[in-house]
Amino acid sequence: MKRVILYILALTAAAVIAAPAPAQTWPQRPISLIVPFAAGGGTDAFARPLAQQLDNQLGMRVIIDNRAGAGGNTGAAAAARAEPDGYTFFVGATHHVIAPSMYTNLTYDLQKDFIPIGMVSQVPHVVVVHPQKVPAKTLTELVASAKANPGKLNYGSAGPGTAHHLAGEMFKLLTGTNIVHVPYRGAGPAMQDLLAGQIDMAFDGLGSSAAQIAGGQIRALAVAAPKRSAAFPDVPTAAEAGVPGYEVSTFYALWAPKGTPPAIVERMTKELQTALQAPTIREAWTRQGSEIPTLTGAEFGAFVGSEISRWAKVVKDAGLKLEEAK
């Protein structure tokens, strides 16, 4: 009997040793990237090329799953509840480091419910207007018009509490203007209405505005960055255009649900780093005015913590009312 037990134990140990590690066999089926905004927005503009590149690298389908709503919180909550098996990841953004100070009833915690993989891209915001609805050719002219006509101009955002919303409120604080906020379910729908002339302007991420600026469908008055964008060198910075201190950028990043096997997290981190060095990705990012980021893992996690604190101060200074995530 003793020999039989020893034999069984030996077979079990051999099976464990022979069993391939999760990262070696992963992936065995399609991977979903939950994008918490509608198609056509800034998050989507970077998530789709990334998904295609990861698809090529992994030899497995990487699918975009758009879950719009509540300023990006609906998709974030869904990702937090996803099975942590390495087949669902979350593509979040600056909006999600703002959310803790804007909403009273979030059903997820960005720092507790997710594992940081790394930053995907980082783009400055840009002040854009509909050329027929807003005659201003410069930021100075826009500010003068807004002051002369308080409450007449409006701006669209990706939703309450998003970076687009906070960028608009920061602009109003710095310029002493009253511009009406019109929230949408993502930057894509907001851009559609801006192009159609349903709204006057936006404080948009350059990633979702780049093609329309280049095509002349909307007019860029300034980039909210310390230096001009290489993609649009003729567009002045906000400081050059008369609003010093107006600097806002949006980052997009990849997270895994808490509980995802460490080996898969490590593998995806390496795959992301490889993807960001691919020529097609570098060209696409440059075209959309984005830097090629290098923040991953714990270092990126620390950055997220500092951004949550920074935006909490902006929310407080702007006197914004906390809203419920729906």
Side-chain angles (χ1 to χ4, degrees), residues 129-288:
V129 300
H130 187 282
Q132 276 72 55
K133 293 202 68 180
V134 180
K137 299 292 197 301
T138 67
L139 202 60
T140 300
E141 291 177 0
L142 176 70
V143 171
S145 177
K147 285 184 174 180
N149 303 280
K152 296 295 184 181
L153 285 174
N154 60 52
Y155 76 94
S157 81
T162 62
H164 306 79
H165 178 198
L166 270 290
E169 296 306 306
M170 183 186 292
F171 182 84
K172 289 160 61 175
L173 282 173
L174 289 172
T175 59
T177 53
N178 178 12
I179 305 172
V180 178
H181 175 220
V182 182
Y184 287 82
R185 291 171 64 87
M191 178 55 68
Q192 290 174 8
D193 268 13
L194 178 59
L195 294 174
Q198 298 300 312
I199 53 175
D200 301 321
M201 58 181 295
F203 301 91
D204 197 22
L206 190 54
S208 51
S209 283
Q212 290 77 19
I213 294 171
Q217 296 159 287
I218 55 177
R219 180 186 300 128
L221 301 185
V223 290
K227 62 180 182 180
R228 296 191 181 199
S229 168
F232 299 96
D234 294 334
V235 178
T237 66
E240 291 173 332
V243 185
Y246 185 60
E247 295 182 10
V248 184
S249 65
T250 288
F251 72 84
Y252 303 98
L254 192 65
W255 282 267
K258 182 181 179 180
T260 300
I264 292 178
V265 170
E266 182 180 356
R267 171 82 184 278
M268 181 56 99
T269 302
K270 291 179 179 177
E271 294 293 345
L272 173 62
Q273 291 173 305
T274 299
L276 292 177
Q277 296 306 314
T280 53
I281 292 293
R282 295 182 71 88
E283 290 169 11
W285 271 216
T286 299
R287 190 166 57 248
Q288 297 184 82

Side-chain angles (χ1 to χ4, degrees), residues 113-130:
D113 295 334
F114 293 98
I115 301 169
I117 300 294
M119 191 181 291
V120 170
S121 63
Q122 187 168 26
V123 295
H125 275 242
V126 59
V127 182
V128 290
V129 300
H130 187 282

